[in-house]
Amino acid sequence: MRELDVRRIAETIRELCIKANKQLPDDIEEKMCACCELEQNALGKSVMEDLVENFRVAKELDIPVCQDTGMAVVFIELGQDVHLTGGLLEDAVNEGVRRGYLDGLLRCSIVSDPLERVNTGDNTPAVLHLRMVEGDQVRIMVAPKGFGSENMSRLKMFTPAAGREDVIDFVLETVKLASSNPCPPMVVGVGIGGDFEWCAYLAKKALCRSCDTKNDNAFYARMEDELLERVNQLGIGPQGFGGDITALKVNIETYATHIAGLPVSVNIGCHVTRHCSAVL
Ligand code: SF4
């Protein structure tokens, strides 16, 4: 059994919070540059050029890519041959987020209670998704999530009578309703299956999957391509000013579900869909 002090996890999360907010993942940067070339609408193209310049300047000046530095969503895959020492994992996650946001001078956006709405002052608590996996390593991903895009996300419990076209219509309707609000071009994460909460988790996971990948299942990979094409045909365009590029990518994640249901969720990400990973 390998021993790992949770202080190393806190320190890693601190670094990931800062890096994720200042530097877009390579796949998003590359997609943004490629889509900038593809955009045919003059206004849309000029907006894309501004967005590309924005992330380049952020990297150069070592400042956040966006003023909304997000809620810290943390995914941990904990190898079951690891024995954590030195304290509670959840405390270490929040300590890492607290130090990352304060040391990195990142905007603190979290309120302690959803109705009383008093800012916690250090961007904690995080949202933690923990999975036990085989092995003796700990894989950590930090995905700061802005709420301009999070607020545009939706979930629907379909009946099993629904099919592929109904799912596609729901995704397109969600993107249309979102319009310019999530700062397009978007990344669209789609979760299909599971139960109510697992379906939403799948959509978030889909959002954090690299834009260079396709679903392993050929049926869903084709659906991702078709959805991207049809989302872009909506013409919302960069920042909602019209154009060919409304989304950079549509990613789908699926899971088994109940005979009586078909949950579908859409988690919208913006043009700064951020995530950063490390393995300990
Ligand atoms: S939706 Fe994204 S780009 Fe827009 S303000 Fe929020 S974090 Fe920033």
Side-chain angles (χ1 to χ4, degrees):
M1 180 72 77
R2 176 185 170 216
E3 295 216 333
L4 183 71
D5 194 311
V6 292
R7 279 170 291 201
R8 281 195 60 203
I9 293 179
E11 184 52 31
T12 302
I13 289 177
R14 174 194 173 276
E15 285 162 20
L16 292 176
C17 286
I18 296 172
K19 188 173 172 202
N21 270 295
K22 294 182 174 177
Q23 208 175 310
L24 289 184
D26 291 345
D27 60 295
I28 299 278
E29 275 197 18
E30 281 158 23
K31 274 272 176 227
M32 286 285 287
C33 294
C35 288
C36 187
E37 294 299 316
L38 290 175
E39 180 59 68
Q40 296 296 311
N41 178 294
L43 185 53
K45 197 176 188 67
S46 119
V47 172
M48 281 302 286
E49 284 166 357
D50 287 345
L51 297 178
V52 168
E53 192 189 349
N54 176 63
F55 72 68
R56 285 190 176 143
V57 168
K59 205 193 275 187
E60 201 181 305
L61 301 183
D62 197 32
I63 56 174
V65 186
C66 180
Q67 43 77 32
D68 182 355
T69 50
M71 188 165 199
V73 181
V74 180
F75 294 86
I76 295 187
E77 289 179 0
L78 178 63
Q80 61 182 11
D81 296 330
V82 179
H83 174 220
L84 296 176
T85 61
L88 289 176
L89 175 63
E90 204 164 326
D91 290 347
V93 168
N94 284 318
E95 176 63 8
V97 169
R98 189 185 74 77
R99 281 170 36 211
Y101 275 74
L102 295 181
D103 295 351
L105 303 177
L106 306 173
R107 192 184 89 184
C108 296
S109 312
I110 304 306
V111 293
S112 58
D113 180 279
L115 293 181
E116 288 178 351
R117 307 199 73 81
V118 177
N119 197 304
T120 61
D122 58 10
N123 222 55
T124 66
V127 172
L128 172 62
H129 298 290
L130 176 63
R131 255 188 81 209
M132 297 295 290
V133 297
E134 65 176 353
D136 63 357
Q137 293 187 321
V138 181
R139 180 176 291 275
I140 304 169
M141 179 193 277
V142 173
K145 188 66 172 73
F147 265 47
S149 53
E150 193 73 354
N151 286 340
M152 298 296 112
S153 304
R154 290 164 85 218
L155 189 149
K156 182 165 177 174
M157 303 300 286
F158 283 93
T159 66
R164 188 180 183 276
E165 278 310 306
D166 299 289
V167 174
I168 287 178
D169 287 348
F170 179 63
V171 176
L172 292 175
E173 182 187 67
T174 302
V175 172
K176 218 167 157 182
L177 285 172
S179 186
S180 65
N181 291 302
C183 301
M186 318 169 194
V187 178
V188 183
V190 182
I192 308 175
D195 63 356
F196 184 82
E197 82 281 2
W198 195 253
C199 183
Y201 165 78
L202 290 174
K204 178 77 74 201
K205 222 172 135 231
L207 204 57
C208 297
R209 206 180 86 209
S210 166
C211 287
D212 295 335
T213 60
K214 282 181 187 285
N215 190 293
D216 292 341
N217 179 314
F219 173 82
Y220 289 109
R222 280 197 300 277
M223 201 165 152
E224 288 177 345
D225 290 342
E226 182 182 335
L227 267 167
L228 179 62
E229 201 180 323
R230 291 177 66 179
V231 162
N232 283 333
Q233 282 166 359
L234 294 174
I236 296 166
Q239 297 289 71
F241 286 105
D244 312 302
I245 308 297
T246 297
L248 302 173
K249 181 75 167 68
V250 178
N251 282 344
I252 299 174
E253 290 290 317
T254 63
Y255 195 73
T257 193
H258 191 281
I259 51 170
L262 171 53
V264 179
S265 72
V266 184
N267 195 195
I268 305 271
C270 58
H271 68 277
V272 302
T273 295
R274 297 158 288 198
H275 46 86
C276 200
S277 304
V279 179
L280 292 176

